[in-house]
Amino acid sequence: MVLVVAVLVVVFGFIVGDPWTWTERALVVLVAASPCALAIAVPVTVISAIGAASKFGVVIKSGEAFEQLGTIRTIALDKTGTLTRNDPAVVDVRTSPGISRGDLLSLAGALEASSAHPLAAAIAATVSGAPAASGVVEEAGCGITGQVGDARVRVGNVRWIDPAGLSPDADAMAGEGMTVVVVEADGQIAGLIGIRDELRPESAETVRLLRAQGIDTIMLTGDNASTANALARQAGITNVRAEQLPADKALAIRELTGGSPTAMVGDGINDAPALATATVGIAMGAKGAAAAIDSADVAFTGHDLRLIPAALAHARRGRRIMTVNIGLALAIIVLLFPLALFGIVGLAGIVLVHEVAEVVVILNGIRAAQRPAALSNARSAEQPSAVLASTH
């Protein structure tokens, strides 16, 4: 549009018989409309903000991810390893008649030794000298299968393996907040293993901080409804979607993003499809699976959940700075264009205004690199989290 206007100005000069004056004005118009400040308004802010966030354990992979992070209105949180400590432990074992506790744990431990799932580590830690398993195949969101000695063994959740006669025990264990793992040998239920992963101490505080920012929280978990609801109540989350396979999580995120910008927070391989589907995928990178980190747009190098509301507040502040920069840059162009067109301001004045505007935009963008109080407070789980006053 600017180029067309400049050509028309030159043509007008020939029409009125003063081509030199109007050609000069056309060139001044081109300079006045140059988007110098506009071109750097966003990049300088994004680079400053991303650099600052990385110093506090929030790795943002792209400028687009940073901009999207500032729009988030809904957060979906995985349970195991995200809301919980990621340090699960076996707290209960129920066996079928004729199966000892040691035999049950040995069968399960033989398979779980090759799995990267946090619950697998809890089972493997209870067994020393477990027999080697062969032909191990992991079914994402369900469990694991393999050969242990002469027995074909399956270890998985209650949706995948029916506890049969031990169903009452499974229900009771789930009601106490345990994740129930069923062990099957040669088609027969060998027993149940109850694993509990306690909530992170900052989980409830994180949910409160998110709610204070006007962000809805949802728990998405592959665990059963009883266990999920028990932990959700402790964290203050009212919206729970349990028994979600990886594909179900991705479908739920797709549904949520249709209503508002949604972030998914997870750390396991089961979360990877949902992380890739979300507006912004956030991986808890300290102990997260490589697939989850690769699928995410943002990764935390620490494990403190309070980084989530702090990072969101940081991104929102960055977007506000970008908006101000863009508005200022556009206002300069709109103001200078008619002044140049009618010869009110000459080339030197136009250039001076542009240079001043660029300096102002740069200085404003650099403000995004200021140390966010919320991120600073979230660095240490021992320190109480401050209200996100400065960046909310």
Side-chain angles (χ1 to χ4, degrees), residues 3 59 97 176 264 268 281 289 294:
L3 291 173
V59 179
E176 296 176 14
M264 172 68 190
D294 289 342

Side-chain angles (χ1 to χ4, degrees), residues 317-330:
R317 180 172 179 268
R319 280 181 64 86
R320 288 197 297 272
I321 292 174
M322 281 189 285
T323 302
V324 170
N325 274 351
I326 292 171
L328 175 62
L330 289 174

